[in-house]
Amino acid sequence: MTDSTTPDNNTHNQFDNKAKAWSARFSEPVSELVKRYTASVDFDKRLAPFDIQGSLAHAEMLAHVGVISKDDLAQIEQGMATILQEIEAGDFDWSLDLEDVHLNIEKRLVELIGDAGKRLHTGRSRNDQVATDMRLWLRAEIDRLLELLKQLRQALARVALAQHATIMPGFTHLQVAQPVTFGHHLLAYAEMFQRDAERLADCRRRVNRSPLGAAALAGTSYPIDRERSAERLGFEAVCRNSLDAVSDRDFAIEFCAAASLVMTHISRFSEELILWMSPRFGFIRLADRFCTGSSIMPQKKNPDVPELARGKTGRVNGHLIALLTLMKSQPLAYNKDNQEDKEGLFDTADTLRDTLTIFVDMVDGITVNADNMRDAALQGFSTATDLADYLVKKGLPFRDAHEAVALAVRKCEELSCDLAELDLAQLKAFDNRIEEDVFEVLTLEGSVAARNHLGGTAPERVKAEAERILAEK
């Protein structure tokens, strides 16, 4: 080579003519408006490291089967190393004329190494190339998200362990139902995020299949070894039909569906954090770094992070619907419609990653007002079911016990008192089986302690469950 940009074995670089005409097939250039309308480089350049990774695996396979020479491979590897350095340093010259990340990198490679760079695209198409890049990128994103979900579950478990005996009201229909512990309530979300992790891990299996070698749609006449390039890229298998390989976006849709469920769980949790932080509840406080004030009301401390996460859930759900709609009428094989798969997919991953990262820190910063939680649990006759269970254990059929306790609750409403505040004589008026030991089950502590089974809210069960999560590798 005479220098880094003008190799002596390269007399013509067809990429230089992109602004004039797409290829020799065309007699006039693409208009500036169409160029901007169809270009994707502004957003798909984030795929560059994965594009280079896929190209290197493809080149190694071509050299292995004898389609290109070992010298070509060495030059390609050297050129790609230079390009990656330029991209990472912010020195790479991205061109709108070249439409996308793939052509930008290939043009620069040809500038650097000449004809060897032109041989790289042998036996592949941008169709299988972009599908490969997306799968490599998404696989890496899923791995990051799985780690964040683990961190969030452990953050919830840390607070749950500290609050394993803190009593709060459990709700149905947003009405006080039965007492639970705050730790138990938080661990319900840990369960949701565990299912989310399982879904993402399962999705990853289908993401982790190689379309490389499917070429435009029909495969290639070159003696390629798809399994070799797939193994080099860490794929678990190859896509077994070339038409499906280049046109499939199920993996992106499946990821967005799983992400929508994660954000739905985040949104449910956010709604509760917002309610709990309200003075009407006063159950918790969020650290100041996750809140904002008001430009006019100096007393305000607004839970902006959970509010915004609740709003971003709609954004992620929208990307799922957009992808489903994008694919619903596409004939085989690849269509330009599929360029629209990336921005929503990228934004879904970015939104989910940022949200989980913030929530890990925010959960660890929760401050609990245990007195307010306990006072709230004393409202709404939350131990009524315990009284019914007490009567059943004394021999009364459950439906009769239910009726007796309902009458007792009505009496309490008339007297403006709680069930535990009735004396023994008043309670016996509803059933003679009631004895002095009834007051043990009417306490909040007695109620939660009685649910001492797997999945129950008894403090010792909550403590054990939190410790189990924290011990996970």
Side-chain angles (χ1 to χ4, degrees):
M1 293 184 186
T2 55
D3 61 52
S4 65
T5 59
T6 312
D8 56 14
N9 66 340
N10 177 36
T11 57
H12 175 65
N13 186 345
Q14 70 270 37
F15 294 105
D16 292 333
N17 297 321
K18 284 296 184 186
K20 298 177 182 178
W22 202 95
S23 73
R25 167 67 177 81
F26 293 81
S27 60
E28 64 175 344
V30 174
S31 76
E32 288 299 315
L33 177 58
V34 170
K35 188 190 304 180
R36 292 194 301 272
Y37 187 71
T38 60
S40 61
V41 67
D42 284 344
F43 53 83
D44 69 14
K45 62 186 178 184
R46 72 160 63 192
L47 295 175
F50 303 98
D51 192 72
I52 291 171
Q53 183 183 354
S55 290
L56 290 172
H58 181 66
E60 191 279 335
M61 181 274 295
L62 291 178
H64 176 74
V65 299
V67 173
I68 65 173
S69 69
K70 298 297 183 183
D71 182 61
D72 283 340
L73 173 61
Q75 290 187 62
I76 289 168
E77 290 174 339
Q78 181 182 357
M80 285 298 192
T82 299
I83 291 170
L84 184 59
Q85 289 174 358
E86 291 175 349
I87 291 171
E88 291 175 343
D91 297 331
F92 191 85
D93 183 20
W94 297 102
S95 171
L96 191 68
D97 288 332
L98 294 169
E99 299 183 9
D100 57 34
V101 60
H102 322 294
L103 293 186
N104 270 269
I105 290 175
E106 189 176 349
K107 176 181 183 292
R108 180 58 177 151
L109 184 66
V110 173
E111 287 176 350
L112 289 169
I113 66 173
D115 286 348
K118 295 179 184 179
R119 296 187 182 101
L120 172 61
H121 208 54
T122 306
R124 74 173 182 184
S125 162
R126 281 194 296 174
N127 294 353
D128 63 336
Q129 188 177 358
V130 67
T132 302
D133 292 359
M134 288 179 64
R135 287 173 181 266
L136 290 172
W137 169 82
L138 186 53
R139 183 180 69 187
E141 288 296 316
I142 289 174
D143 289 343
R144 294 171 69 183
L145 292 169
L146 287 171
E147 176 59 29
L148 285 170
L149 282 167
K150 177 182 175 182
Q151 291 176 21
L152 181 53
R153 293 183 73 243
Q154 293 194 329
L156 289 164
R158 282 191 292 272
V159 181
L161 184 60
Q163 307 295 333
H164 70 280
T166 301
I167 293 175
M168 67 174 291
F171 297 94
T172 60
H173 309 278
L174 209 55
Q175 305 296 310
V176 174
Q178 293 177 288
V180 297
T181 64
F182 186 53
H184 190 60
H185 196 115
L186 291 181
L187 292 183
Y189 287 101
E191 287 296 298
M192 296 181 206
F193 294 129
Q194 175 60 28
R195 293 195 298 273
D196 290 327
E198 291 169 3
R199 271 185 287 270
L200 282 173
D202 192 49
C203 173
R204 188 189 190 279
R205 291 176 46 247
R206 284 175 287 281
V207 169
N208 203 27
R209 296 173 185 172
S210 176
L212 194 58
L217 76 163
T220 177
S221 59
Y222 297 98
I224 62 172
D225 185 343
R226 294 187 64 204
E227 287 82 2
R228 184 179 183 88
S229 57
E231 183 178 357
R232 184 179 176 89
L233 291 168
F235 285 120
E236 297 173 33
V238 297
C239 301
R240 301 191 66 86
N241 181 282
S242 61
L243 287 165
D244 180 59
V246 298
S247 62
D248 168 39
R249 292 299 181 268
D250 289 2
F251 65 93
I253 293 171
E254 186 175 354
F255 170 77
C256 287
S260 293
L261 272 171
V262 179
M263 288 300 295
T264 295
H265 297 149
I266 286 285
S267 186
R268 295 182 70 184
F269 186 38
S270 295
E271 176 72 7
E272 297 209 295
L273 293 173
I274 293 163
L275 288 173
W276 293 342
M277 191 173 165
S278 163
R280 291 293 183 181
F281 282 76
F283 288 179
I284 66 164
R285 291 192 304 277
L286 297 178
D288 286 353
R289 62 185 178 277
F290 303 106
C291 303
T292 63
S294 166
S295 63
I296 188 173
M297 295 170 285
Q299 83 281 8
K300 293 296 292 300
K301 181 178 175 181
N302 300 322
D304 271 24
V305 167
E307 287 178 357
L308 189 56
R310 188 175 57 183
K312 285 181 181 290
T313 301
R315 173 182 181 144
V316 170
N317 289 349
H319 292 320
L320 170 61
I321 298 303
L323 268 178
L324 287 166
T325 306
L326 176 73
M327 296 303 299
K328 74 176 183 64
S329 300
Q330 282 199 43
L332 292 172
Y334 182 85
N335 299 278
K336 188 66 171 178
D337 311 46
N338 285 349
Q339 182 171 296
E340 289 296 301
D341 62 359
K342 297 174 191 63
E343 288 178 282
L345 179 62
F346 293 162
D347 187 67
T348 294
D350 291 347
T351 300
L352 186 52
R353 184 181 62 252
D354 290 347
T355 301
L356 290 174
T357 301
I358 291 171
F359 266 65
V360 170
D361 189 19
M362 188 171 66
V363 167
D364 273 323
I366 289 175
T367 301
V368 175
N369 189 329
D371 290 340
N372 282 3
M373 287 187 177
R374 193 179 193 286
D375 289 345
L378 289 171
Q379 302 171 24
F381 312 105
S382 63
T383 58
T385 303
D386 296 275
L387 179 56
D389 290 342
Y390 170 88
L391 289 171
V392 169
K393 291 171 184 177
K394 294 285 187 176
L396 191 64
F398 180 78
R399 283 302 171 197
D400 292 338
H402 186 284
E403 181 69 15
V405 175
L407 292 171
V409 167
R410 184 188 299 177
K411 183 65 174 179
C412 287
E413 286 179 331
E414 293 174 0
L415 299 175
S416 299
C417 68
D418 186 63
L419 286 168
E421 295 175 312
L422 295 175
D423 60 32
L424 182 59
Q426 289 172 312
L427 287 168
K428 288 180 74 68
F430 302 105
D431 193 279
N432 278 328
R433 297 173 180 82
I434 297 176
E435 301 295 341
E436 191 69 36
D437 59 352
V438 72
F439 294 104
E440 297 175 13
V441 303
L442 290 179
T443 65
L444 298 176
E445 289 74 16
S447 176
V448 296
R451 285 147 176 84
N452 189 14
H453 54 74
L454 182 62
T457 191
E460 63 183 275
R461 290 288 184 173
V462 175
K463 184 174 182 289
E465 186 66 11
E467 289 172 342
R468 182 190 66 81
I469 294 171
L470 290 170
E472 290 176 353
K473 302 298 184 183

